[in-house]
Amino acid sequence: MKTEFNIAVFPGDGIGPEVVVEAIKILKIIESKLGLKIMLNEAPVGGAGYEATGHPLPDASLDIAKKSDGVLLGAVGGPKWETIDFSLRPERALLGLRSNLGLYANLRPARIFPALLDASTLKREVVEGLDLLVVRELTGGIYFGEPRGVVTNDKGERYGFNTLVYSESEIERISKVAFDVARKRNGKVCSVDKANVLEATGFWRDIVTGLHSQYSDIELSHMYVDNCAMQLVRNPKQFDVILTTNMFGDILSDEASMLTGSIGMLPSASLGEKYAMYEPIHGSAPDIAGKELANPLATILSVGMLFKYSLEKEEPNIWIEEAVEKVLGQGVRTADIMSDGMKQVGTKEMGDLVAAELEKIN
Ligand code: IPM
Ligand code: MG
């Protein structure tokens, strides 16, 4: 069995570096528990990549990603780079990594930790027991479609445009991921589209329906995205796996994160045929960077997904979730999930507490 691994570490910008430091603590504990040898290769991406080399995704960083068994990423972006050309914005690093590494399947689990039931803005009974998974297509759709741009027409009027495009094979491969993962969960897939308005997503619905004939054990339903946004706050427990396009998945996963108490709680895995990347779903939150206010749990939980999907070790993910639940159960909270009667801790202290609980698990 393989025991040596290379992990690319891209802290990025804003709170990225602080949350990644905590996640690495956790990774190292598991490394020694399992007797593995994990080489960590750190490199700049995003604003940090731009500052270091003039490009948000330096070739050297992409190379490190391609030589890795998995990439751990913090977050990218910040006000400092908001005015530079689109092609050089920090976000391009993320999109470049996704497309260059072929990471077409983005898994975003939204599970509520029992200790956080009262941290959700929704009523306890609405979210208690919540466990859903957003399977977001990540390398196609309107995020990558051509043509795109901002141009001036003959009459001198400027207009901007993007293209929503999906091929049959792109829809099929992401649908397979959703059906396969539903088999290991509660056997339900809800495909989310806007088939009443957008041809490309009507086509999406047809392809998903066609593929479903190979998955007769899975219960498939379809929902328009506006209805899904509403159902997620009305009755989120009706969902098991939500399968959807790149942009709808971006939006719905932020919404789903709030059901669990905070966007600071949601990890993610982006998977392709050859490579994989793990990151919290939150952004770089420049306003709170360096203030010990960031919640490191989403990144810590992403380490669990890294072990599960890239290193083929199932247990660390369970251990990490257990350790997080224990720490939350002690009444300890970062600012984003703080509530009356709880004790607020900083980013580092939260990481240390999870590390201490993890050390206790045999
Ligand atoms: C996400 C983020 C990214 C996206 C941004 C930062 C490019 O919002 O991972 O959800 O839109 O995909
Ligand atoms: Mg997003």
Side-chain angles (χ1 to χ4, degrees):
M1 214 200 298
K2 193 170 160 182
T3 55
E4 294 195 7
F5 301 93
N6 281 302
I7 300 299
V9 180
F10 298 159
D13 312 315
I15 60 169
E18 329 166 13
V19 293
V20 164
V21 165
E22 303 314 311
I24 297 292
K25 266 183 206 164
I26 301 303
L27 183 144
K28 286 192 176 293
I29 293 172
I30 294 169
E31 174 187 27
S32 75
K33 258 188 199 300
L34 296 181
L36 308 174
K37 194 161 172 230
I38 301 180
M39 263 76 69
L40 301 174
N41 303 307
E42 193 174 317
V45 299
Y50 176 76
E51 297 300 331
T53 68
H55 196 280
L57 180 55
D59 288 341
S61 303
L62 182 59
D63 255 15
I64 288 178
K66 286 190 171 166
K67 290 191 181 112
S68 74
D69 297 292
V71 178
L72 179 67
L73 186 136
V76 297
K80 190 171 173 196
W81 307 285
E82 264 163 22
T83 50
I84 60 176
D85 188 73
F86 224 78
S87 63
L88 294 174
R89 299 249 182 104
E91 289 75 12
R92 300 315 299 177
L94 206 49
L95 299 167
L97 281 164
R98 290 171 183 171
S99 66
N100 280 290
L101 302 177
L103 308 176
Y104 65 86
N106 185 213
L107 310 186
R108 298 186 161 188
R111 257 193 60 211
I112 191 149
F113 285 93
L116 283 188
L117 274 171
D118 295 315
S120 176
T121 46
L122 296 188
K123 289 192 195 115
R124 174 180 264 267
E125 59 269 27
V126 176
V127 291
E128 190 161 23
L130 176 86
D131 179 4
L132 65 82
L133 175 71
V134 178
V135 176
R136 169 188 177 193
E137 199 290 326
L138 202 61
T139 52
I142 200 163
Y143 269 54
F144 292 93
E146 298 283 348
R148 60 194 297 147
V150 179
V151 296
T152 307
N153 70 11
D154 327 347
K155 294 181 188 122
E157 186 175 14
R158 292 195 305 151
Y159 60 100
F161 56 98
N162 288 91
T163 305
L164 169 55
V165 52
Y166 270 115
S167 69
E168 189 167 355
S169 58
E170 281 178 312
I171 303 167
E172 269 188 10
R173 66 181 181 178
I174 190 68
S175 305
K176 275 190 188 138
V177 171
F179 286 131
D180 285 335
V181 69
R183 267 193 183 144
K184 297 187 194 145
R185 296 174 47 94
N186 293 322
K188 286 192 342 189
V189 172
C190 177
S191 173
V192 175
D193 59 41
K194 188 72 187 174
N196 50 344
V197 178
L198 304 171
E199 286 84 346
T201 71
F203 180 59
W204 170 286
R205 187 179 282 217
D206 292 344
I207 302 300
V208 175
T209 305
L211 189 75
H212 181 232
S213 60
Q214 296 170 34
Y215 291 88
S216 49
D217 52 320
I218 303 294
E219 186 187 321
L220 172 67
S221 59
H222 301 275
M223 201 178 269
Y224 297 140
V225 63
D226 48 349
N227 185 21
C228 181
M230 185 270 279
Q231 295 295 340
L232 269 175
V233 286
R234 192 185 76 91
N235 174 20
K237 284 188 272 182
Q238 70 186 282
F239 297 109
D240 178 18
V241 174
I242 293 178
L243 160 66
T244 191
T245 64
N246 203 340
M247 188 162 76
F248 296 163
D250 179 44
I251 299 165
L252 295 174
S253 60
D254 267 31
E255 190 186 359
S257 75
M258 271 316 289
L259 308 173
T260 71
S262 163
I263 194 166
M265 294 301 299
L266 243 65
S268 82
S270 303
L271 311 174
E273 302 304 337
K274 240 174 126 181
Y275 304 107
M277 184 159 83
Y278 302 85
E279 52 172 320
I281 81 153
H282 63 68
S284 58
D287 53 321
I288 60 163
K291 297 183 180 159
E292 280 292 307
L293 286 173
N295 183 346
L297 293 177
T299 318
I300 287 174
L301 293 164
S302 298
V303 167
M305 295 187 88
L306 182 150
F307 276 98
K308 179 168 171 178
Y309 293 104
S310 284
L311 276 45
E312 287 170 21
K313 315 246 175 270
E314 293 268 346
E315 285 178 316
N317 191 41
I318 300 164
W319 296 337
I320 291 174
E321 286 183 353
E322 254 178 54
V324 168
E325 176 61 29
K326 284 217 179 94
V327 171
L328 294 173
Q330 292 157 11
V332 180
R333 302 283 187 271
T334 43
D336 58 316
I337 46 177
M338 187 57 192
S339 58
D340 281 354
M342 299 293 144
K343 176 174 179 249
Q344 189 171 331
V345 296
T347 310
K348 177 175 179 302
E349 196 175 351
M350 182 56 101
D352 286 341
L353 288 166
V354 176
E357 282 306 324
L358 195 59
E359 292 277 18
K360 291 187 205 155
I361 297 171
N362 295 304

